[in-house]
Amino acid sequence: DLKAAVAMAAKAWTGHSLEACKEAASKHESFNLVCIPPLVLLTFASLLTASQAVGATLSYAVEAYILIDILYNLAVPQCQPTAFRWGTIVVHHLLTAWLTLHPCLHPENNHMTAMWSVVEVNTLILTVNRKLKSAALTYAFYATWLGMRLLWYPYLTYLSHNIIRGWGAPLYGYAHLQIVASGVALCCLNWVWTGEVVWQLLSKSKAAKKA
């Protein structure tokens, strides 16, 4: 059955039991519940105040969180449900770390960090909902996924292209690729994850019909 298949997949992926994988995932969610709310607060503070100090704090905080979470995923890969998810998360984090490094090194552009990190609202809703399992939060998650990851991010990539070119970065130069190529890759990952979710929903629907 489906539960047995999930247990076998978890065992094959990490060598750990399904229970151990669930425990690792729960601990990772608790880690995110500690780290992500301050990032969301700093994001809105930066957007509302346009403060250089707040923007710089946010940039370094996002960079620190991403680097720590990369190490977390490398040390405890079973916190992710599949090897595919683990790989895409690590790639996502590496791209985000590279992108965020720019405003860290060039504080005149640290206002850009909040424009990207606003998507953490979606991540926070997902993490909270995994604990509370609320229908309202589920709808909020899908709404923010659509609005932030699938609509806002592509536009933001275009907007970031204009910002970084206006800043003086040569087209296809290092800074331009650091911002725009990272943005394009992150947009692609969002669509990959969307496809993964759709496939999972269809698989569950087929399994329910067979049952």
Side-chain angles (χ1 to χ4, degrees):
D1 60 4
L2 182 60
K3 185 174 181 180
V6 170
M8 288 177 64
K11 183 75 173 178
W13 147 228
T14 64
H16 293 79
S17 67
L18 180 59
E19 291 71 22
C21 291
K22 286 183 176 180
E23 182 180 357
S26 180
K27 288 180 179 178
H28 186 247
E29 287 161 10
S30 297
F31 165 75
N32 281 334
L33 279 174
V34 172
C35 296
I36 293 178
L39 296 181
V40 171
L41 290 174
L42 282 170
T43 293
F44 283 106
S46 180
L47 291 171
L48 291 172
T49 66
S51 163
Q52 281 284 347
V54 175
T57 302
L58 173 63
S59 296
Y60 282 107
V62 169
E63 190 75 0
Y65 164 72
I66 289 295
L67 293 175
I68 291 170
D69 204 40
I70 289 173
L71 294 175
Y72 195 121
N73 276 273
L74 291 175
V76 192
Q78 66 268 27
C79 70
Q80 301 298 339
T82 64
F84 178 79
R85 179 74 63 78
W86 178 86
T88 55
I89 288 289
V90 171
V91 170
H92 169 275
H93 282 16
L94 290 171
L95 289 167
T96 303
W98 187 38
L99 188 155
T100 309
L101 184 62
H102 176 84
C104 286
L105 298 179
H106 302 281
E108 65 272 20
N109 288 332
N110 63 29
H111 63 285
M112 296 177 71
T113 303
M115 297 163 68
W116 289 97
S117 63
V118 72
V119 77
E120 293 305 325
V121 170
N122 174 257
T123 307
L124 181 59
I125 292 171
L126 172 64
T127 306
V128 172
N129 195 33
R130 282 174 173 167
K131 298 290 186 182
L132 299 182
K133 303 188 186 307
S134 159
L137 287 176
T138 299
Y139 288 122
F141 166 73
Y142 285 120
T144 53
W145 182 279
L146 173 63
M148 294 181 171
R149 293 189 182 272
L150 301 185
L151 297 178
W152 169 243
Y153 256 27
Y155 173 71
L156 178 57
T157 302
Y158 167 75
L159 183 62
S160 296
H161 160 77
N162 290 333
I163 292 172
I164 205 67
R165 290 285 285 140
W167 177 70
L171 185 65
Y172 305 129
Y174 178 81
H176 182 263
L177 291 175
Q178 184 178 21
I179 300 298
V180 179
S182 293
V184 170
L186 290 172
C187 289
C188 290
L189 279 173
N190 287 334
W191 280 104
V192 167
W193 287 331
T194 300
E196 184 185 17
V197 170
V198 170
W199 181 83
Q200 288 174 348
L201 291 174
L202 290 175
S203 297
K204 288 180 180 178
S205 176
K206 289 180 180 178
K209 287 179 180 178
K210 288 182 180 179

